[in-house]
Amino acid sequence: MRPIVFEKDETFWYETLRMFGHIAYGGADFGEVLVTAQRIVEGDYDSWHDEWRATADRVAAEAERSRGISARDGFLRASNYYRSAEFFLHGDPADARIASAYERAVECFRKALPEVAPVEIPYEGTTLPGYYYDAGAGRTVVMHNGFDGSAEEMHFVAAAALFERGFNVLAFDGPGQPGPMHRQGLVFRPDWENVVGPVLDFLQHDLRAGGPVGLLGNSLGGMLAPRAAAFEPRIKALVALDGVYDMGAKATEHFGGDRELARSTLAGPEADAVLERLMATDPGVRWACTHGMWVTGAGSPREYTATLFDYHLRDGIAERITCPTLVCAAQDDHFFRGQPEQLFERLTCDKTFLEFTEEEGGDAHCQAGAQRLAMSRIGTWLEEVL
């Protein structure tokens, strides 16, 4: 898929395509996205924030003057635009614009969908935020986002699609994800079963939801959700959207693919200079390191990159998964190319591989831009399995 804006900046283009994709379930409008993107200075994080914030404020103000369906539609779009506004600012966690845009995103989302119940899930002396979509069904899909997305965004990714198919849905933010990061400073952890376990306890005991439970993880969630399923027998169906086998492979890309060389180099300060050069020339590395330091609590790009080795399904973890599993893949995934295939190869459970192609318009990471197509196939699989 050729970029229609930001032709020289893959990161800015992907985030714009991500927004285009959310049109499918009410999270954006084409003209609003395009004219906002056209005002942004390529590679300029402040410009990105300012233009998305301006669009979000304008759309939210109109929603406030509206009522009924018009208000709902406006608040949904504004929520997603506020989410995008603060996306690139995490290199300075003290920047007041981050919390301001995040809180507005949550506020608008809840105004848009009062019928979707906000929940607080008990977790290690605090709580995790989420949303429960009660379809009155005997089956539920628990879902979460990945490295940088929110529970609110999951509405446009999968929650709305599965709810309209008759599933109960529980979407939540875990440690390292927006709610717990913004409000409690809870950073990512690789042993995701210790996150999903309390969520399932809450679903069964507090929400009293019966029947089989599926788990869907988006983006980095395509590694976190399988990790949880490997140790959590209550999960009866798993969707890795898209599949991720080993985040450590992202670190080794910069060291010729040599895992041990990467580990040893990242243990010493000489790696700082290497990563600083990459951040100066590669927008993707720049964003990944600045955001990654924040959500992992790392003190430097080197420390963040070293944490990636902890996030994997190696050493027999993938082989522990026993529930039916759907591994999704995108033909031109610039984040995790080849990772879904590695995960699928090692699964020993009942498994299905689902690749989306350029011809279908679904070749980008997590099928950004092809939400209806993706959820048609994923929804059908879940209907059959659960």
Side-chain angles (χ1 to χ4, degrees):
M1 187 185 298
R2 291 190 299 272
I4 58 175
V5 288
F6 306 123
E7 294 182 6
K8 298 178 182 178
D9 191 326
E10 187 175 48
T11 304
F12 271 27
W13 162 241
Y14 176 76
E15 290 307 315
T16 306
L17 178 62
R18 179 175 178 170
M19 191 66 77
F20 281 136
H22 293 337
I23 293 170
Y25 290 97
D29 214 356
F30 184 86
E32 288 172 348
V33 175
L34 186 57
V35 297
T36 302
Q38 288 173 336
R39 295 195 304 263
I40 294 170
V41 177
E42 191 166 284
D44 187 326
Y45 289 175
D46 290 325
S47 175
W48 179 278
H49 166 270
D50 293 348
E51 298 304 340
W52 279 114
R53 179 72 198 227
T55 297
D57 286 342
R58 179 181 58 76
V59 173
E62 184 166 342
E64 293 283 3
R65 299 190 297 269
S66 304
R67 62 183 183 274
I69 293 172
S70 297
R72 180 202 65 193
D73 286 358
F75 282 128
L76 272 181
R77 301 197 318 278
S79 172
N80 204 24
Y81 299 157
Y82 282 121
R83 176 197 63 79
S84 187
E86 56 106 359
F87 188 84
F88 288 105
L89 299 180
H90 301 153
D92 178 12
D95 189 330
R97 296 176 297 176
I98 297 172
S100 174
Y102 172 73
E103 294 299 341
R104 285 292 286 152
V106 174
E107 178 186 2
C108 288
F109 185 82
R110 294 183 179 188
K111 284 183 176 180
L113 300 172
E115 68 276 17
V116 175
V119 296
E120 295 292 333
I121 302 165
Y123 168 79
E124 296 192 353
T126 183
T127 59
L128 303 175
Y131 298 94
Y132 185 56
Y133 301 66
D134 188 356
R139 54 189 179 176
T140 302
V141 178
V142 174
M143 63 179 64
H144 57 76
N145 222 315
F147 184 55
D148 53 67
S150 64
E152 290 80 18
E153 187 192 16
M154 289 304 295
H155 179 84
F156 314 114
V157 174
L162 294 181
F163 181 62
E164 71 181 9
R165 285 170 170 78
F167 292 91
N168 302 327
V169 174
L170 177 57
F172 75 95
D173 276 342
Q177 295 173 333
M181 273 304 307
H182 283 92
R183 294 175 174 165
Q184 297 129 295
L186 298 180
V187 298
F188 269 114
R189 59 187 297 178
D191 54 342
W192 205 248
E193 66 275 15
N194 290 315
V195 177
V196 169
V199 175
L200 297 181
D201 293 342
F202 178 81
L203 175 70
Q204 295 171 342
H205 301 148
D206 294 72
L207 297 176
R208 300 186 181 281
V213 177
L215 178 63
L216 182 150
N218 187 54
S219 192
L220 176 60
M223 177 258 129
L224 297 171
R227 163 76 197 212
F231 297 94
E232 181 48 80
R234 289 177 287 181
I235 296 170
K236 302 305 180 184
L238 170 67
V239 179
L241 177 66
D242 289 338
V244 180
Y245 180 66
D246 179 16
M247 285 296 293
K250 297 296 292 182
T252 64
E253 287 177 359
H254 310 307
F255 300 93
D258 188 322
R259 195 178 189 87
E260 291 311 311
L261 174 62
R263 277 185 177 277
S264 60
T265 303
L266 289 167
E270 60 271 18
D272 289 327
V274 174
L275 290 168
E276 290 292 344
R277 286 196 298 272
L278 286 168
M279 291 172 67
T281 58
D282 187 322
V285 175
R286 176 189 173 199
W287 170 76
C289 286
T290 53
H291 178 77
M293 288 167 59
W294 185 51
V295 297
T296 62
S300 68
R302 171 170 59 91
E303 289 180 20
Y304 155 67
T305 306
T307 68
L308 297 178
F309 290 106
D310 297 329
Y311 293 81
H312 64 84
L313 301 170
R314 298 161 59 96
D315 305 327
I317 295 175
E319 289 84 348
R320 289 180 59 107
I321 298 170
T322 59
C323 64
T325 298
L326 175 64
V327 178
C328 299
Q331 188 178 40
D332 190 33
D333 188 334
H334 67 290
F335 291 112
F336 298 126
R337 188 178 288 109
Q339 293 265 350
E341 291 81 358
Q342 292 181 54
L343 171 58
F344 186 78
E345 179 184 344
R346 288 161 177 82
L347 292 173
T348 57
C349 57
D350 179 2
K351 59 183 180 178
T352 302
F353 190 79
L354 180 56
E355 183 179 47
F356 294 84
T357 67
E358 179 182 2
E359 182 181 16
E360 299 166 331
D363 58 321
H365 178 59
C366 295
Q367 294 76 60
Q371 250 69 59
R372 285 278 176 184
L373 173 66
M375 292 316 300
S376 173
R377 295 175 180 173
I378 293 167
T380 296
W381 184 85
L382 282 167
E383 286 168 340
E384 294 172 354
V385 172
L386 291 180

